[in-house]
């Protein structure tokens, strides 16, 4: 694999799904992932297929599918939702519609692939979906809680295809990055809701120091603080 240069920029863009916005917060922790995201979508002639990321929060991986000009058909789904859709398609005899829904996507982002463990029929369907997307030149982004080689009870041929792409180990954010994330989210809330919230530096440091297990929990705590400040 050709080494990718570190990225030093802020990147935010709209997706074609619910017009949601994500802002990329650069960090030394993510110098491998950052350029991969840019390579996939900012430089469209060159694509990395597939991308597998592990030890990652879904909010972080979603940044990868937020290019400046979004693909026309982006599918973001959990492995559980993929499984439920497949089971429902069997019950309603609508497997063709199910296949078209996923195999016609320009980008498929599927979260928590380890959920497929032991589900042979679902894995069979995902394998054929994987192949169909590769053949049509679509981008596949997969997240899991471990590298492909350690995914037990997942078919070898699926793990082999995952390992054949770009496999990234994304480490949890350090203290400085957690503070940056909080400040970025704080500014996003102030802008979107047109509120004149004010927080001092110590609040950001306290939240980033006390809540280390989950970025979502940390941002949730920030939201609660802002909500209570408005009530009071």
């Amino acid at each position: 694999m050709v080494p990718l240069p570190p990225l030093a920029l802020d990147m935010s863009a709209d997706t074609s799904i619910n017009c949601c916005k994500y802002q990329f917060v650069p960090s030394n922790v993510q110098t491998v992932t950052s350029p991969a995201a840019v390579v996939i979508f900012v430089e469209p002639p060159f694509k990395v297929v597939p991308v597998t990321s592990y030890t990652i929060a879904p909010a972080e991986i979603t940044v990868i599918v937020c290019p400046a000009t979004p693909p026309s058909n982006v599918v973001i789904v959990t492995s559980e939702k993929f499984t439920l859709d497949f089971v429902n398609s069997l019950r309603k005899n609508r497997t063709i519609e199910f296949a078209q829904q996923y195999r016609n996507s320009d980008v498929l982002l599927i979260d928590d692939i380890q959920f497929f463990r032991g589900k042979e029929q679902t894995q069979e369907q995902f394998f054929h979906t994987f192949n169909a997307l590769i053949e049509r030149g679509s981008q596949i982004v997969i997240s899991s809680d471990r590298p492909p080689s350690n995914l037990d009870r997942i078919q070898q041929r699926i793990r082999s295809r995952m390992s054949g792409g770009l496999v990234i180990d994304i480490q949890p954010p350090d203290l400085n990055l957690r503070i940056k994330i909080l400040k970025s989210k704080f500014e996003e809330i102030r802008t979107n809701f047109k509120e004149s919230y004010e927080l001092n530096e110590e609040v950001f440091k306290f939240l980033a120091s006390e809540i280390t297990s989950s970025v979502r929990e940390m941002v949730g705590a920030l939201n609660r603080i802002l909500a209570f400040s408005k009530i009071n």
Side-chain angles (χ1 to χ4, degrees), residues 74-93:
V74 179
V75 177
I76 303 175
V77 66
T78 64
S79 297
E80 181 180 12
K81 179 65 164 54
F82 183 94
T83 302
L84 290 175
D85 286 349
F86 174 55
V87 171
N88 287 333
S89 74
L90 291 176
R91 290 175 178 171
K92 299 176 181 179
N93 195 27

Side-chain angles (χ1 to χ4, degrees), residues 30-223:
Q30 298 179 350
T31 53
V32 174
T33 310
S34 305
V38 173
V39 164
I40 293 168
F41 290 116
V42 176
E43 302 176 27
F46 175 69
K47 299 181 78 173
V48 180
V49 181
V51 177
T52 301
S53 297
Y54 60 100
T55 318
I56 182 172
E60 292 167 338
I61 198 169
T62 305
V63 169
I64 297 177
V65 296
C66 293
T69 304
S72 60
N73 187 13
V74 179
V75 177
I76 303 175
V77 66
T78 64
S79 297
E80 181 180 12
K81 179 65 164 54
F82 183 94
T83 302
L84 290 175
D85 286 349
F86 174 55
V87 171
N88 287 333
S89 74
L90 291 176
R91 290 175 178 171
K92 299 176 181 179
N93 195 27
R94 300 181 64 179
T95 54
I96 294 177
E97 289 90 337
F98 169 83
Q100 291 176 339
Q101 175 186 353
Y102 286 99
R103 298 179 192 181
N104 290 334
S105 59
D106 297 315
V107 179
L108 173 62
L109 187 151
I110 186 160
D111 187 32
D112 287 336
I113 194 74
Q114 69 275 3
F115 183 80
F116 286 165
R117 285 181 293 185
K119 298 177 175 64
E120 290 300 324
Q121 284 187 290
T122 300
Q123 290 186 43
E124 184 77 16
Q125 189 62 224
F126 178 70
F127 175 77
H128 292 301
T129 298
F130 199 121
N131 285 345
L133 291 173
I134 294 292
E135 289 176 2
R136 76 188 302 269
S138 298
Q139 180 67 57
I140 308 170
V141 183
I142 303 167
S143 76
S144 68
D145 62 354
R146 66 202 72 184
S149 58
N150 293 344
L151 287 169
D152 59 305
R153 301 173 66 196
I154 296 291
Q155 294 177 6
Q156 172 59 34
R157 57 184 180 173
I158 294 177
R159 287 185 280 128
S160 176
R161 278 162 173 71
M162 292 169 63
S163 299
L166 177 62
V167 180
I168 305 167
D169 178 9
I170 300 184
Q171 297 297 323
D174 57 17
L175 176 61
N176 289 334
L177 179 54
R178 292 197 298 274
I179 292 174
K180 286 182 181 179
I181 292 171
L182 283 171
K183 289 182 176 180
S184 175
K185 188 64 178 178
F186 175 69
E187 291 302 325
E188 177 186 327
I189 292 171
R190 289 210 308 179
T191 301
N192 291 345
F193 294 96
K194 297 180 173 58
E195 296 283 354
S196 56
Y197 294 118
E198 295 294 338
L199 287 180
N200 62 45
E201 187 72 18
E202 293 304 313
V203 175
F204 295 114
K205 289 182 179 179
F206 175 79
L207 290 176
S209 300
E210 293 298 317
I211 306 176
T212 60
S213 60
S214 169
V215 171
R216 285 180 175 176
E217 290 181 12
M218 184 179 67
V219 173
L222 173 64
N223 287 332

